[in-house]
């Protein structure tokens, strides 16, 4: 019974360390995003500024990153505090949240950057070479 306790304790510690690999970047991203939001509000006096638009886009991307990884961080932290009976659907939902982060960036850029939206449309409907010819871009 003592060896079983040692293995369980070891697994909890390893799970906690694994969770830190997710929690630490998420915490850094939250802090950076708060700083970005402060910058957005300080630049918001210039409503049509391209810098303001870029900062807002980056802020949206950061918040989606945080929102998509928080469920995974929580799932990794639960066993460290003694909760090990996590339903399968919760694990599945957290994986879908992380997967959503992968497609969120192109969608955000499509809505906030017209040039990227045109390029993405050409990418999926025609060839990239046609896009380069139409917009006089070098390879």
């Amino acid at each position: 019974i003592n060896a079983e306790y040692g293995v369980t304790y070891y697994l909890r510690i390893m799970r906690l360390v694994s969770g830190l690999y997710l929690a630490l970047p998420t915490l850094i991203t939250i802090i950076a995003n708060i700083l970005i939001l402060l910058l957005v509000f300080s630049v918001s006096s210039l409503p049509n500024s391209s810098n303001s638009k870029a900062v807002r886009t980056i802020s949206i991307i950061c918040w989606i990153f945080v929102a998509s990884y928080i469920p995974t961080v929580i799932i990794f932290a639960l066993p460290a505090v003694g909760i090990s009976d996590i339903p399968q659907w919760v694990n599945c939902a957290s994986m879908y949240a992380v997967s959503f982060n992968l497609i969120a960036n192109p969608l955000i850029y499509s809505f906030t950057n017209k040039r990227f939206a045109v390029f993405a449309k050409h990418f999926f409907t025609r060839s990239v070479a046609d896009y380069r010819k139409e917009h006089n871009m070098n390879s």
Side-chain angles (χ1 to χ4, degrees), residues 27-28 35 40 46 63 70 72 77 85 89 105 111 113 125 129:
L27 180 64
I28 291 169
L35 294 174
V40 166
L46 307 170
W63 280 116
I70 282 179
T72 305
D85 188 26
W89 69 269
N105 288 354
F111 288 115
N113 187 330
T125 59

Side-chain angles (χ1 to χ4, degrees), residues 101-139:
N101 185 49
L102 297 173
I103 63 166
N105 288 354
L107 292 175
I108 292 167
Y109 285 127
S110 293
F111 288 115
T112 60
N113 187 330
K114 291 181 181 180
R115 187 173 176 192
F116 182 84
V118 169
F119 176 77
K121 181 180 176 184
H122 276 77
F123 182 78
F124 289 111
T125 59
R126 304 183 210 168
S127 73
V128 176
D130 291 340
Y131 176 81
R132 288 185 178 152
K133 288 178 187 173
E134 289 177 14
H135 296 288
N136 298 323
M137 295 178 69
N138 297 330
S139 57

